[in-house]
Amino acid sequence: MYINERKVVRVSELKTISIQFPQDVYMLALWVLANDLADSKQHSGR
């Protein structure tokens, strides 16, 4: 789903993710943070 040109991911979509290794949670958190920061920089001029 997109709101104001920004993709919204529902929490329910994460139900199918399986954590195979403890490091996976950390890597997922880094990925979410990096995407959020990149999106913030892209939209900061508005």
Side-chain angles (χ1 to χ4, degrees):
M1 170 184 4
Y2 288 87
I3 297 177
N4 296 332
E5 300 178 22
R6 188 171 179 179
K7 184 170 179 15
V8 176
V9 177
R10 296 176 188 266
V11 174
S12 61
E13 294 179 44
L14 302 176
K15 283 184 177 181
T16 59
I17 294 176
S18 65
I19 304 300
Q20 301 295 320
F21 302 97
Q23 190 72 9
D24 289 350
V25 176
Y26 177 73
M27 294 303 292
L28 178 61
L30 286 178
W31 180 82
V32 169
L33 179 61
N35 280 295
D36 187 53
L37 289 173
D39 191 58
S40 294
K41 287 180 182 178
Q42 182 181 13
H43 297 292
S44 65
R46 294 183 185 171

